[in-house]
Amino acid sequence: TQLLEQSPQFLSIQEGENLTVYCNSSSVFSSLQWYRQEPGEGPVLLVTVVTGGEVKKLKRLTFQFGDARKDSSLHITAAQPGDTGLYLCAVRKAAGNKLTFGGGTRVLVKP
Amino acid sequence: GAGVSQTPSNKVTEKGKYVELRCDPISGHTALYWYRQSLGQGPEFLIYFQGTGAADDSGLPNDRFFAVRPEGSVSTLKIQRTERGDSAVYLCASSQGHFNEQFFGPGTRLTVL
């Protein structure tokens, strides 16, 4: 069983539609990060959420950390083809700096 | 300034061969990480360097995998007696000190035939 379960695994939508992807766990985390990875590139950090219930906005992207700090969601409003990519959530292990990633959600936004 | 660079971008080798993958971190970054990403999966941690020493190598799958960072800058990941299951994208990341944001390179795609 993976520490972080992401759903759905794949999402294909039309430009202008909204979408939400989820990152769930049975463990409690002090913080959680979201990354976007495009083909042939490494992951790029989008946001770090720290406080239970926290909501952060990055243009059309809204990130929420669950009240119990076990889960998180990423909502994209009016998706554009440039939002296409692999969205990954990740946490740091308490005793070190290594990142543990979820399996990712692959998002395809069609023009 | 330049980001993290990795060479080669692609490497095709035959089962049983030895390969070396190189990572050039962002200048001044003291921490360096290696991850492996299999097709359709998220990256998995392999090893972490703080300066020249390996602070955590708990993710290395077996003793065929080894990494060095002799001068605290460039790192090389070495894989002996490659197996088909080693095929993946190997990602390198660096950060300015412990617990700061990790910046990833584009990865080396390793294919073992």
Side-chain angles (χ1 to χ4, degrees), chain B residues 6-49:
Chain B
Q6 294 187 244
T7 53
S9 55
N10 280 284
K11 176 71 177 178
V12 180
T13 191
E14 293 179 341
K15 181 175 178 295
K17 299 289 189 183
Y18 168 82
V19 296
E20 289 190 350
L21 312 179
R22 176 187 168 110
C23 172
D24 279 86
I26 293 172
S27 178
H29 280 192
T30 56
L32 185 146
Y33 315 80
W34 284 98
Y35 294 84
R36 178 168 71 173
Q37 187 172 24
S38 299
L39 193 62
Q41 311 263 341
E44 292 180 308
F45 170 80
L46 294 176
I47 186 169
Y48 154 52
F49 287 90

Side-chain angles (χ1 to χ4, degrees), chain A residues 37 40-43, chain B residues 3-6 23-24 33 89-94 102-108:
Chain A
Q37 184 177 20
E41 302 292 331
Chain B
V4 178
S5 63
Q6 294 187 244
C23 172
D24 279 86
Y33 315 80
V89 174
Y90 289 80
L91 294 165
C92 176
S94 69
Q102 295 182 28
F103 294 86
F104 285 82
T108 293

Side-chain angles (χ1 to χ4, degrees), chain A residues 2 35 37 40-45 86 88 92-104 106, chain B residues 31 33 35 37 40-45 48 56 58 91 95 97-102 104-107:
Chain A
Q2 280 204 319
Y35 291 79
Q37 184 177 20
E41 302 292 331
V44 175
L45 179 65
L86 178 67
L88 296 157
R92 278 200 184 93
K93 290 288 195 175
N97 198 30
K98 58 190 176 188
L99 294 171
T100 297
F101 287 87
R106 192 165 299 279
Chain B
Y33 315 80
Y35 294 84
Q37 187 172 24
Q41 311 263 341
E44 292 180 308
F45 170 80
Y48 154 52
D56 184 348
S58 61
L91 294 165
S95 67
H98 202 53
F99 282 120
N100 290 331
E101 179 182 352
Q102 295 182 28
F104 285 82

Side-chain angles (χ1 to χ4, degrees), chain A residues 25-41:
Chain A
S25 179
S26 57
S27 299
V28 177
F29 304 111
S30 57
S31 66
L32 184 143
Q33 297 182 327
W34 283 94
Y35 291 79
R36 179 168 65 211
Q37 184 177 20
E38 299 186 19
E41 302 292 331

